[in-house]
Amino acid sequence: MNQDELKKNVAIAAIDYVETGTIIGVGTGSTANYFIDELAKIKSKIDGTVASSVATAERLKGHGIRVLELNVVDDISVYVDGADESNKYLHLIKGGGGALTREKIIAAASDKFVCIADESKLVDILGEFPLPVEVIPMARSYVARELVKLGGQPVYREGFTTDNGNIILDVKNMQIMDPVEVEQKINNIVGVVTNGLFAARPADVLLLGTKEGIKTLT
Ligand code: 5RP
């Protein structure tokens, strides 16, 4: 089974977490895209979705799935999204696709966060994958210097603008021993919109696609 098949299987498994008559938060990326394709098959059962990126909203609409603004929604029963890395505590690194801020907002606003990933994403220590940080453009150099002081090696993501009009610094060389602390420290740098650590609000469930089947971590 290749990585795409593992991603597809885990997306299928996530459908079990979709409750009839509720609003579903939908993430961004290739695994989330498989979930959207599965959600399309049961679209009449849900009230609508909230999308974590323009790309996701387009894909949902392409399937004829209703997309709502977060501001008009009272309750999101479940948020389903992929990740770039997860540890066993379901602390995540996200933002490889650059949608981290909207993803974090929807995760915060959802009753349950179900993370879907292939088994390669489970790691002992977060930080092998460069940590994405969304930054207000004028603060880029200042924030980069502050990230160096924290032990990181920030790299400007060339030619990329987020859906919010900002830039991304991908921080290499971070051995993240205390994800909650690092998330907070980076968010405290003036000019940072948010960073891709999802530790203060981790996933509630991690569905991992493995060659032996779906593993569920809680
Ligand atoms: C996008 C994300 C994605 O969830 C993450 O990059 C994983 O992507 P994929 O499912 O394509 O492996 O955080 O901002």
Side-chain angles (χ1 to χ4, degrees), residues 3 7 27-33 52 79 81-85 93-101 103 116-118 121 129 132 157 198:
Q3 197 182 21
K7 287 181 179 188
T28 298
S30 56
T31 320
N33 281 346
S52 62
Y79 176 53
D81 196 1
D84 299 301
E85 283 184 351
I93 287 184
K94 291 185 44 54
L100 59 156
T101 300
E103 292 172 342
I116 52 175
D118 69 87
K121 306 288 182 75
F129 189 91
R157 200 180 290 187
F198 286 53

PDB file of all heavy atoms in Angstrom, residues 3 7 27-33 52 79 81-85 93-101 103 116-118 121 129 132 157 198, ligand 1:
ATOM      1  N   GLN A   3       1.602   5.585   0.088  1.00  0.00           N
ATOM      2  CA  GLN A   3       1.217   6.637   1.035  1.00  0.00           C
ATOM      3  C   GLN A   3      -0.159   7.222   0.702  1.00  0.00           C
ATOM      4  O   GLN A   3      -0.962   7.513   1.602  1.00  0.00           O
ATOM      5  CB  GLN A   3       2.289   7.733   1.011  1.00  0.00           C
ATOM      6  CG  GLN A   3       2.218   8.653   2.210  1.00  0.00           C
ATOM      7  CD  GLN A   3       3.251   9.760   2.156  1.00  0.00           C
ATOM      8  OE1 GLN A   3       3.764  10.102   1.078  1.00  0.00           O
ATOM      9  NE2 GLN A   3       3.562  10.324   3.298  1.00  0.00           N
ATOM     10  N   LYS A   7      -3.492   7.433   3.051  1.00  0.00           N
ATOM     11  CA  LYS A   7      -4.205   8.692   3.302  1.00  0.00           C
ATOM     12  C   LYS A   7      -5.688   8.539   2.980  1.00  0.00           C
ATOM     13  O   LYS A   7      -6.560   9.028   3.702  1.00  0.00           O
ATOM     14  CB  LYS A   7      -3.610   9.826   2.448  1.00  0.00           C
ATOM     15  CG  LYS A   7      -2.248  10.306   2.922  1.00  0.00           C
ATOM     16  CD  LYS A   7      -1.716  11.433   2.051  1.00  0.00           C
ATOM     17  CE  LYS A   7      -0.358  11.914   2.569  1.00  0.00           C
ATOM     18  NZ  LYS A   7       0.127  13.102   1.899  1.00  0.00           N
ATOM     19  N   GLY A  27     -10.218  20.597   6.943  1.00  0.00           N
ATOM     20  CA  GLY A  27      -8.834  21.039   6.836  1.00  0.00           C
ATOM     21  C   GLY A  27      -8.336  21.178   5.407  1.00  0.00           C
ATOM     22  O   GLY A  27      -9.120  21.172   4.450  1.00  0.00           O
ATOM     23  N   THR A  28      -7.007  21.286   5.308  1.00  0.00           N
ATOM     24  CA  THR A  28      -6.363  21.581   4.027  1.00  0.00           C
ATOM     25  C   THR A  28      -5.230  20.584   3.780  1.00  0.00           C
ATOM     26  O   THR A  28      -4.546  20.184   4.720  1.00  0.00           O
ATOM     27  CB  THR A  28      -5.808  23.019   4.059  1.00  0.00           C
ATOM     28  OG1 THR A  28      -6.911  23.914   4.232  1.00  0.00           O
ATOM     29  CG2 THR A  28      -5.070  23.379   2.778  1.00  0.00           C
ATOM     30  N   GLY A  29      -5.051  20.215   2.517  1.00  0.00           N
ATOM     31  CA  GLY A  29      -3.941  19.323   2.173  1.00  0.00           C
ATOM     32  C   GLY A  29      -4.443  18.085   1.463  1.00  0.00           C
ATOM     33  O   GLY A  29      -5.646  17.917   1.239  1.00  0.00           O
ATOM     34  N   SER A  30      -3.517  17.200   1.118  1.00  0.00           N
ATOM     35  CA  SER A  30      -3.899  16.040   0.308  1.00  0.00           C
ATOM     36  C   SER A  30      -4.762  15.047   1.100  1.00  0.00           C
ATOM     37  O   SER A  30      -5.695  14.458   0.548  1.00  0.00           O
ATOM     38  CB  SER A  30      -2.645  15.348  -0.238  1.00  0.00           C
ATOM     39  OG  SER A  30      -1.784  14.982   0.817  1.00  0.00           O
ATOM     40  N   THR A  31      -4.489  14.858   2.384  1.00  0.00           N
ATOM     41  CA  THR A  31      -5.303  13.933   3.189  1.00  0.00           C
ATOM     42  C   THR A  31      -6.697  14.522   3.392  1.00  0.00           C
ATOM     43  O   THR A  31      -7.703  13.810   3.262  1.00  0.00           O
ATOM     44  CB  THR A  31      -4.617  13.645   4.548  1.00  0.00           C
ATOM     45  OG1 THR A  31      -3.208  13.507   4.357  1.00  0.00           O
ATOM     46  CG2 THR A  31      -5.166  12.384   5.178  1.00  0.00           C
ATOM     47  N   ALA A  32      -6.748  15.814   3.678  1.00  0.00           N
ATOM     48  CA  ALA A  32      -8.050  16.487   3.828  1.00  0.00           C
ATOM     49  C   ALA A  32      -8.835  16.429   2.512  1.00  0.00           C
ATOM     50  O   ALA A  32     -10.066  16.284   2.528  1.00  0.00           O
ATOM     51  CB  ALA A  32      -7.846  17.937   4.271  1.00  0.00           C
ATOM     52  N   ASN A  33      -8.133  16.496   1.392  1.00  0.00           N
ATOM     53  CA  ASN A  33      -8.833  16.403   0.092  1.00  0.00           C
ATOM     54  C   ASN A  33      -9.529  15.055  -0.067  1.00  0.00           C
ATOM     55  O   ASN A  33     -10.647  14.983  -0.583  1.00  0.00           O
ATOM     56  CB  ASN A  33      -7.850  16.626  -1.063  1.00  0.00           C
ATOM     57  CG  ASN A  33      -7.551  18.101  -1.275  1.00  0.00           C
ATOM     58  OD1 ASN A  33      -8.258  18.968  -0.744  1.00  0.00           O
ATOM     59  ND2 ASN A  33      -6.519  18.397  -2.028  1.00  0.00           N
ATOM     60  N   SER A  52     -10.974  25.600   5.951  1.00  0.00           N
ATOM     61  CA  SER A  52      -9.766  26.197   6.528  1.00  0.00           C
ATOM     62  C   SER A  52      -8.889  26.903   5.492  1.00  0.00           C
ATOM     63  O   SER A  52      -7.821  27.414   5.847  1.00  0.00           O
ATOM     64  CB  SER A  52      -8.953  25.111   7.235  1.00  0.00           C
ATOM     65  OG  SER A  52      -8.543  24.145   6.287  1.00  0.00           O
ATOM     66  N   TYR A  79     -13.804  18.785  13.638  1.00  0.00           N
ATOM     67  CA  TYR A  79     -12.872  19.337  12.657  1.00  0.00           C
ATOM     68  C   TYR A  79     -11.965  18.200  12.205  1.00  0.00           C
ATOM     69  O   TYR A  79     -11.358  17.516  13.036  1.00  0.00           O
ATOM     70  CB  TYR A  79     -12.032  20.450  13.296  1.00  0.00           C
ATOM     71  CG  TYR A  79     -10.977  21.028  12.387  1.00  0.00           C
ATOM     72  CD1 TYR A  79     -11.314  21.500  11.125  1.00  0.00           C
ATOM     73  CD2 TYR A  79      -9.648  21.107  12.783  1.00  0.00           C
ATOM     74  CE1 TYR A  79     -10.343  22.024  10.276  1.00  0.00           C
ATOM     75  CE2 TYR A  79      -8.672  21.637  11.951  1.00  0.00           C
ATOM     76  CZ  TYR A  79      -9.033  22.096  10.695  1.00  0.00           C
ATOM     77  OH  TYR A  79      -8.081  22.618   9.859  1.00  0.00           O
ATOM     78  N   ASP A  81      -8.718  17.162   9.854  1.00  0.00           N
ATOM     79  CA  ASP A  81      -7.594  17.746   9.108  1.00  0.00           C
ATOM     80  C   ASP A  81      -6.364  16.844   9.216  1.00  0.00           C
ATOM     81  O   ASP A  81      -6.267  16.026  10.141  1.00  0.00           O
ATOM     82  CB  ASP A  81      -7.275  19.139   9.685  1.00  0.00           C
ATOM     83  CG  ASP A  81      -6.397  19.969   8.756  1.00  0.00           C
ATOM     84  OD1 ASP A  81      -6.031  19.498   7.657  1.00  0.00           O
ATOM     85  OD2 ASP A  81      -6.072  21.115   9.143  1.00  0.00           O
ATOM     86  N   GLY A  82      -5.448  17.013   8.303  1.00  0.00           N
ATOM     87  CA  GLY A  82      -4.188  16.277   8.308  1.00  0.00           C
ATOM     88  C   GLY A  82      -3.158  16.950   9.199  1.00  0.00           C
ATOM     89  O   GLY A  82      -3.463  17.893   9.934  1.00  0.00           O
ATOM     90  N   ALA A  83      -1.915  16.450   9.120  1.00  0.00           N
ATOM     91  CA  ALA A  83      -0.814  17.051   9.883  1.00  0.00           C
ATOM     92  C   ALA A  83       0.498  16.712   9.201  1.00  0.00           C
ATOM     93  O   ALA A  83       0.587  15.761   8.425  1.00  0.00           O
ATOM     94  CB  ALA A  83      -0.804  16.527  11.313  1.00  0.00           C
ATOM     95  N   ASP A  84       1.504  17.507   9.510  1.00  0.00           N
ATOM     96  CA  ASP A  84       2.848  17.221   9.004  1.00  0.00           C
ATOM     97  C   ASP A  84       3.610  16.316   9.965  1.00  0.00           C
ATOM     98  O   ASP A  84       4.437  15.509   9.536  1.00  0.00           O
ATOM     99  CB  ASP A  84       3.598  18.536   8.767  1.00  0.00           C
ATOM    100  CG  ASP A  84       2.875  19.382   7.733  1.00  0.00           C
ATOM    101  OD1 ASP A  84       2.706  18.895   6.607  1.00  0.00           O
ATOM    102  OD2 ASP A  84       2.439  20.493   8.067  1.00  0.00           O
ATOM    103  N   GLU A  85       3.348  16.471  11.251  1.00  0.00           N
ATOM    104  CA  GLU A  85       3.912  15.574  12.270  1.00  0.00           C
ATOM    105  C   GLU A  85       2.944  15.504  13.441  1.00  0.00           C
ATOM    106  O   GLU A  85       2.229  16.474  13.730  1.00  0.00           O
ATOM    107  CB  GLU A  85       5.254  16.113  12.818  1.00  0.00           C
ATOM    108  CG  GLU A  85       6.440  15.908  11.916  1.00  0.00           C
ATOM    109  CD  GLU A  85       7.762  16.371  12.548  1.00  0.00           C
ATOM    110  OE1 GLU A  85       7.758  17.017  13.627  1.00  0.00           O
ATOM    111  OE2 GLU A  85       8.808  16.097  11.946  1.00  0.00           O
ATOM    112  N   ILE A  93       2.543  19.323  14.365  1.00  0.00           N
ATOM    113  CA  ILE A  93       3.039  20.410  13.507  1.00  0.00           C
ATOM    114  C   ILE A  93       2.161  20.399  12.274  1.00  0.00           C
ATOM    115  O   ILE A  93       1.954  19.358  11.655  1.00  0.00           O
ATOM    116  CB  ILE A  93       4.522  20.229  13.107  1.00  0.00           C
ATOM    117  CG1 ILE A  93       5.427  20.525  14.311  1.00  0.00           C
ATOM    118  CG2 ILE A  93       4.884  21.171  11.944  1.00  0.00           C
ATOM    119  CD1 ILE A  93       6.919  20.469  13.980  1.00  0.00           C
ATOM    120  N   LYS A  94       1.625  21.581  11.941  1.00  0.00           N
ATOM    121  CA  LYS A  94       0.808  21.742  10.749  1.00  0.00           C
ATOM    122  C   LYS A  94       1.267  22.992  10.001  1.00  0.00           C
ATOM    123  O   LYS A  94       2.038  23.780  10.503  1.00  0.00           O
ATOM    124  CB  LYS A  94      -0.675  21.896  11.138  1.00  0.00           C
ATOM    125  CG  LYS A  94      -1.246  20.602  11.703  1.00  0.00           C
ATOM    126  CD  LYS A  94      -2.742  20.677  11.985  1.00  0.00           C
ATOM    127  CE  LYS A  94      -3.567  21.312  10.935  1.00  0.00           C
ATOM    128  NZ  LYS A  94      -3.394  20.722   9.587  1.00  0.00           N
ATOM    129  N   GLY A  95       0.739  23.139   8.793  1.00  0.00           N
ATOM    130  CA  GLY A  95       1.051  24.358   8.047  1.00  0.00           C
ATOM    131  C   GLY A  95       1.941  24.140   6.845  1.00  0.00           C
ATOM    132  O   GLY A  95       2.355  25.111   6.197  1.00  0.00           O
ATOM    133  N   GLY A  96       2.214  22.856   6.532  1.00  0.00           N
ATOM    134  CA  GLY A  96       2.988  22.589   5.319  1.00  0.00           C
ATOM    135  C   GLY A  96       2.332  23.206   4.096  1.00  0.00           C
ATOM    136  O   GLY A  96       3.002  23.662   3.169  1.00  0.00           O
ATOM    137  N   GLY A  97       1.011  23.267   4.117  1.00  0.00           N
ATOM    138  CA  GLY A  97       0.265  23.880   3.015  1.00  0.00           C
ATOM    139  C   GLY A  97       0.007  25.373   3.236  1.00  0.00           C
ATOM    140  O   GLY A  97      -0.645  26.019   2.410  1.00  0.00           O
ATOM    141  N   GLY A  98       0.486  25.895   4.361  1.00  0.00           N
ATOM    142  CA  GLY A  98       0.386  27.333   4.620  1.00  0.00           C
ATOM    143  C   GLY A  98      -0.953  27.807   5.166  1.00  0.00           C
ATOM    144  O   GLY A  98      -1.185  29.007   5.281  1.00  0.00           O
ATOM    145  N   ALA A  99      -1.819  26.863   5.561  1.00  0.00           N
ATOM    146  CA  ALA A  99      -3.157  27.263   6.006  1.00  0.00           C
ATOM    147  C   ALA A  99      -3.284  27.253   7.528  1.00  0.00           C
ATOM    148  O   ALA A  99      -4.389  27.237   8.072  1.00  0.00           O
ATOM    149  CB  ALA A  99      -4.199  26.328   5.388  1.00  0.00           C
ATOM    150  N   LEU A 100      -2.143  27.285   8.225  1.00  0.00           N
ATOM    151  CA  LEU A 100      -2.131  27.022   9.662  1.00  0.00           C
ATOM    152  C   LEU A 100      -3.029  27.920  10.499  1.00  0.00           C
ATOM    153  O   LEU A 100      -3.669  27.452  11.446  1.00  0.00           O
ATOM    154  CB  LEU A 100      -0.701  27.068  10.192  1.00  0.00           C
ATOM    155  CG  LEU A 100       0.096  28.361  10.017  1.00  0.00           C
ATOM    156  CD1 LEU A 100       1.181  28.447  11.049  1.00  0.00           C
ATOM    157  CD2 LEU A 100       0.743  28.409   8.639  1.00  0.00           C
ATOM    158  N   THR A 101      -3.123  29.216  10.147  1.00  0.00           N
ATOM    159  CA  THR A 101      -3.886  30.127  11.013  1.00  0.00           C
ATOM    160  C   THR A 101      -5.374  29.798  10.972  1.00  0.00           C
ATOM    161  O   THR A 101      -6.017  29.660  12.026  1.00  0.00           O
ATOM    162  CB  THR A 101      -3.629  31.583  10.615  1.00  0.00           C
ATOM    163  OG1 THR A 101      -2.227  31.840  10.762  1.00  0.00           O
ATOM    164  CG2 THR A 101      -4.407  32.544  11.501  1.00  0.00           C
ATOM    165  N   GLU A 103      -6.628  27.034  10.069  1.00  0.00           N
ATOM    166  CA  GLU A 103      -6.777  25.683  10.638  1.00  0.00           C
ATOM    167  C   GLU A 103      -6.840  25.758  12.159  1.00  0.00           C
ATOM    168  O   GLU A 103      -7.662  25.088  12.797  1.00  0.00           O
ATOM    169  CB  GLU A 103      -5.597  24.802  10.206  1.00  0.00           C
ATOM    170  CG  GLU A 103      -5.602  24.489   8.711  1.00  0.00           C
ATOM    171  CD  GLU A 103      -4.362  23.777   8.215  1.00  0.00           C
ATOM    172  OE1 GLU A 103      -3.324  23.792   8.897  1.00  0.00           O
ATOM    173  OE2 GLU A 103      -4.425  23.201   7.119  1.00  0.00           O
ATOM    174  N   ILE A 116      -6.112  13.243  10.761  1.00  0.00           N
ATOM    175  CA  ILE A 116      -5.979  12.065   9.892  1.00  0.00           C
ATOM    176  C   ILE A 116      -4.614  12.127   9.194  1.00  0.00           C
ATOM    177  O   ILE A 116      -4.247  13.155   8.623  1.00  0.00           O
ATOM    178  CB  ILE A 116      -7.138  11.974   8.861  1.00  0.00           C
ATOM    179  CG1 ILE A 116      -7.326  13.277   8.084  1.00  0.00           C
ATOM    180  CG2 ILE A 116      -8.429  11.587   9.559  1.00  0.00           C
ATOM    181  CD1 ILE A 116      -8.390  13.200   6.970  1.00  0.00           C
ATOM    182  N   ALA A 117      -3.881  11.020   9.267  1.00  0.00           N
ATOM    183  CA  ALA A 117      -2.523  11.035   8.695  1.00  0.00           C
ATOM    184  C   ALA A 117      -2.064   9.617   8.385  1.00  0.00           C
ATOM    185  O   ALA A 117      -2.547   8.654   8.975  1.00  0.00           O
ATOM    186  CB  ALA A 117      -1.558  11.671   9.700  1.00  0.00           C
ATOM    187  N   ASP A 118      -1.115   9.516   7.473  1.00  0.00           N
ATOM    188  CA  ASP A 118      -0.490   8.212   7.261  1.00  0.00           C
ATOM    189  C   ASP A 118       0.573   8.016   8.341  1.00  0.00           C
ATOM    190  O   ASP A 118       1.014   8.975   8.986  1.00  0.00           O
ATOM    191  CB  ASP A 118       0.106   8.120   5.851  1.00  0.00           C
ATOM    192  CG  ASP A 118       1.295   9.028   5.699  1.00  0.00           C
ATOM    193  OD1 ASP A 118       2.415   8.601   6.026  1.00  0.00           O
ATOM    194  OD2 ASP A 118       1.108  10.193   5.287  1.00  0.00           O
ATOM    195  N   LYS A 121       3.742  10.100   9.676  1.00  0.00           N
ATOM    196  CA  LYS A 121       3.655  11.395  10.370  1.00  0.00           C
ATOM    197  C   LYS A 121       3.854  11.288  11.889  1.00  0.00           C
ATOM    198  O   LYS A 121       4.022  12.299  12.558  1.00  0.00           O
ATOM    199  CB  LYS A 121       2.293  12.056  10.090  1.00  0.00           C
ATOM    200  CG  LYS A 121       1.943  12.223   8.616  1.00  0.00           C
ATOM    201  CD  LYS A 121       2.762  13.296   7.947  1.00  0.00           C
ATOM    202  CE  LYS A 121       2.418  13.518   6.489  1.00  0.00           C
ATOM    203  NZ  LYS A 121       1.204  14.218   6.204  1.00  0.00           N
ATOM    204  N   PHE A 129      10.219  18.118  10.793  1.00  0.00           N
ATOM    205  CA  PHE A 129       9.544  18.907   9.757  1.00  0.00           C
ATOM    206  C   PHE A 129       9.684  20.382  10.147  1.00  0.00           C
ATOM    207  O   PHE A 129       9.384  20.762  11.287  1.00  0.00           O
ATOM    208  CB  PHE A 129       8.051  18.519   9.686  1.00  0.00           C
ATOM    209  CG  PHE A 129       7.334  19.128   8.513  1.00  0.00           C
ATOM    210  CD1 PHE A 129       7.254  18.452   7.299  1.00  0.00           C
ATOM    211  CD2 PHE A 129       6.768  20.399   8.617  1.00  0.00           C
ATOM    212  CE1 PHE A 129       6.614  19.025   6.211  1.00  0.00           C
ATOM    213  CE2 PHE A 129       6.127  20.982   7.523  1.00  0.00           C
ATOM    214  CZ  PHE A 129       6.050  20.281   6.321  1.00  0.00           C
ATOM    215  N   PRO A 132       6.225  25.813  10.419  1.00  0.00           N
ATOM    216  CA  PRO A 132       5.753  27.015   9.723  1.00  0.00           C
ATOM    217  C   PRO A 132       5.276  28.094  10.714  1.00  0.00           C
ATOM    218  O   PRO A 132       4.600  27.787  11.699  1.00  0.00           O
ATOM    219  CB  PRO A 132       4.556  26.498   8.900  1.00  0.00           C
ATOM    220  CG  PRO A 132       4.705  24.998   8.879  1.00  0.00           C
ATOM    221  CD  PRO A 132       5.339  24.659  10.191  1.00  0.00           C
ATOM    222  N   ARG A 157       9.583  31.320   3.021  1.00  0.00           N
ATOM    223  CA  ARG A 157       8.947  30.514   1.967  1.00  0.00           C
ATOM    224  C   ARG A 157       8.733  31.408   0.741  1.00  0.00           C
ATOM    225  O   ARG A 157       7.796  32.210   0.706  1.00  0.00           O
ATOM    226  CB  ARG A 157       7.623  29.924   2.463  1.00  0.00           C
ATOM    227  CG  ARG A 157       7.167  28.727   1.646  1.00  0.00           C
ATOM    228  CD  ARG A 157       5.848  28.132   2.127  1.00  0.00           C
ATOM    229  NE  ARG A 157       5.907  27.440   3.402  1.00  0.00           N
ATOM    230  CZ  ARG A 157       4.891  26.743   3.912  1.00  0.00           C
ATOM    231  NH1 ARG A 157       3.753  26.638   3.227  1.00  0.00           N
ATOM    232  NH2 ARG A 157       4.998  26.160   5.082  1.00  0.00           N
ATOM    233  N   PHE A 198       0.331  22.785  17.158  1.00  0.00           N
ATOM    234  CA  PHE A 198      -1.016  22.627  17.718  1.00  0.00           C
ATOM    235  C   PHE A 198      -0.834  21.798  18.987  1.00  0.00           C
ATOM    236  O   PHE A 198      -0.987  20.572  18.979  1.00  0.00           O
ATOM    237  CB  PHE A 198      -1.931  21.905  16.731  1.00  0.00           C
ATOM    238  CG  PHE A 198      -2.386  22.739  15.562  1.00  0.00           C
ATOM    239  CD1 PHE A 198      -1.496  23.416  14.754  1.00  0.00           C
ATOM    240  CD2 PHE A 198      -3.741  22.835  15.263  1.00  0.00           C
ATOM    241  CE1 PHE A 198      -1.929  24.182  13.671  1.00  0.00           C
ATOM    242  CE2 PHE A 198      -4.190  23.596  14.188  1.00  0.00           C
ATOM    243  CZ  PHE A 198      -3.273  24.272  13.389  1.00  0.00           C
TER     244      PHE A 198
HETATM  245  C1  5RP B   1      -1.873  22.401   5.608  1.00  0.00           C
HETATM  246  C2  5RP B   1      -1.618  21.360   6.633  1.00  0.00           C
HETATM  247  C3  5RP B   1      -1.760  19.938   6.211  1.00  0.00           C
HETATM  248  O1  5RP B   1      -2.667  19.318   7.065  1.00  0.00           O
HETATM  249  C4  5RP B   1      -0.436  19.242   6.322  1.00  0.00           C
HETATM  250  O2  5RP B   1       0.506  19.952   5.545  1.00  0.00           O
HETATM  251  C5  5RP B   1      -0.517  17.785   5.841  1.00  0.00           C
HETATM  252  O3  5RP B   1      -0.725  17.746   4.472  1.00  0.00           O
HETATM  253  P1  5RP B   1      -0.941  16.402   3.672  1.00  0.00           P
HETATM  254  O4  5RP B   1      -2.255  15.850   4.097  1.00  0.00           O
HETATM  255  O5  5RP B   1      -0.934  16.845   2.223  1.00  0.00           O
HETATM  256  O6  5RP B   1       0.201  15.473   3.983  1.00  0.00           O
HETATM  257  O7  5RP B   1      -1.321  21.618   7.758  1.00  0.00           O
HETATM  258  O8  5RP B   1      -1.602  23.684   6.083  1.00  0.00           O
END
